[in-house]
């Protein structure tokens, strides 16, 4: 990311909205806001394949584990930015279920994948698909279910101005949503 350009753009936004970037309370705002954006949009630097390589910490499935077992991790908290309005998508939770296909993914890696994918200008639908794609790439599982629930400030704070939850789901294979509960 071009941090200097970001700082200049934020300064220009402050001027465009009628404020004075040289006033005391705003002096360091371009620098602080840039630091925040670099952190919150870290995933912009990586493709899904690169994220899969980053978090490919899987292990051979123990022979005593039934290959029909389902791994479920729920309520992974994430946030993202709507690519249409650059507005925050918040109060988001991700639920992931998969059947190991000889490979078990470290549980923290599932949360890290969800987190990194969400740190982009995104659509909730794409986040859901991206997570599924990356888990498939790492585990080669043919049974994966991803569900995301979240609020969008582009709905809650503008336009209709109603807080609501959007739910997106993506799956391959035979895992049923009821198996996540």
């Amino acid at each position: 990311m071009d941090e200097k350009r970001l700082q200049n753009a934020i300064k220009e936004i402050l001027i465009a909205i009628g404020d004075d970037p040289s006033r005391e309370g705003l002096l360091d705002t371009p620098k602080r806001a840039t630091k925040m954006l670099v952190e919150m949009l870290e995933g912009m630097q990586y493709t899904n394949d690169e994220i899969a390589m980053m978090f490919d910490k899987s292990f051979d499935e123990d022979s005593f584990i039934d290959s029909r077992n389902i791994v479920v991790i729920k309520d992974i908290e994430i946030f993202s930015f709507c690519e249409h309005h650059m507005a925050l998508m918040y109060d988001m939770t991700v639920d992931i279920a998969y059947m190991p296909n000889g490979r078990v993914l470290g549980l923290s890696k599932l949360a890290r994948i969800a987190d990194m994918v969400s740190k982009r200008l995104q659509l909730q639908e794409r986040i859901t698909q991206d997570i599924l794609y990356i888990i498939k790439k790492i585990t080669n599982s043919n049974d994966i279910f991803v569900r995301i629930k979240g609020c969008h400030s582009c709905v809650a704070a503008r336009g209709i101005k109603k807080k609501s939850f959007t739910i997106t789901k993506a799956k391959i294979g035979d895992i049923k949503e009821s198996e996540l509960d």
Side-chain angles (χ1 to χ4, degrees), residues 5 89 97 113 118 136 179:
R5 195 168 180 184
M89 294 186 279
I113 290 165
S118 70
K136 168 77 174 155
E179 294 176 290

Side-chain angles (χ1 to χ4, degrees), residues 69-130:
N69 282 350
I70 299 174
V71 175
V72 178
I73 185 167
K74 294 179 61 169
D75 299 323
I76 301 167
E77 294 180 354
I78 63 168
F79 65 86
S80 192
F81 286 96
C82 162
E83 69 180 32
H84 295 145
H85 303 98
M86 293 183 70
L88 194 62
M89 294 186 279
Y90 62 98
D91 286 348
M92 296 180 85
T93 57
V94 179
D95 301 331
I96 300 168
Y98 77 99
M99 286 184 179
N101 186 19
R103 302 295 297 165
V104 178
L105 188 58
L107 292 177
S108 71
K109 301 310 178 249
L110 292 166
R112 290 179 191 280
I113 290 165
D115 187 59
M116 189 61 75
V117 164
S118 70
K119 289 183 173 181
R120 301 171 173 164
L121 295 178
Q122 274 283 29
L123 298 174
Q124 184 172 323
E125 298 88 340
R126 188 180 311 116
I127 297 169
T128 311
Q129 288 292 330
D130 289 350

Side-chain angles (χ1 to χ4, degrees), residues 87-88 90 151-164:
L88 194 62
Y90 62 98
C151 294
H152 296 238
S153 61
C154 54
V155 175
R158 59 163 302 280
I160 190 67
K161 296 180 184 154
K162 301 292 179 205
K163 182 177 178 181
S164 59

Side-chain angles (χ1 to χ4, degrees), residues 127-175:
I127 297 169
T128 311
Q129 288 292 330
D130 289 350
I131 292 169
L132 186 137
Y133 171 87
I134 293 166
I135 294 169
K136 168 77 174 155
K137 186 162 182 87
I138 295 171
T139 65
N140 204 28
S141 175
N142 295 313
D143 295 282
I144 304 168
F145 193 106
V146 179
R147 176 178 58 201
I148 300 178
K149 179 179 177 181
C151 294
H152 296 238
S153 61
C154 54
V155 175
R158 59 163 302 280
I160 190 67
K161 296 180 184 154
K162 301 292 179 205
K163 182 177 178 181
S164 59
F165 286 92
T166 299
I167 298 171
T168 52
K169 305 169 189 176
K171 74 175 245 172
I172 55 173
D174 296 326
I175 294 179

Side-chain angles (χ1 to χ4, degrees), residues 39-57:
E39 180 182 327
M40 294 173 82
L41 295 171
E42 177 185 9
M44 300 285 291
Q45 303 175 70
Y46 307 107
T47 66
N48 286 340
D49 291 330
E50 290 169 327
I51 293 170
M53 287 177 19
M54 260 192 282
F55 300 119
D56 185 359
K57 302 292 186 250

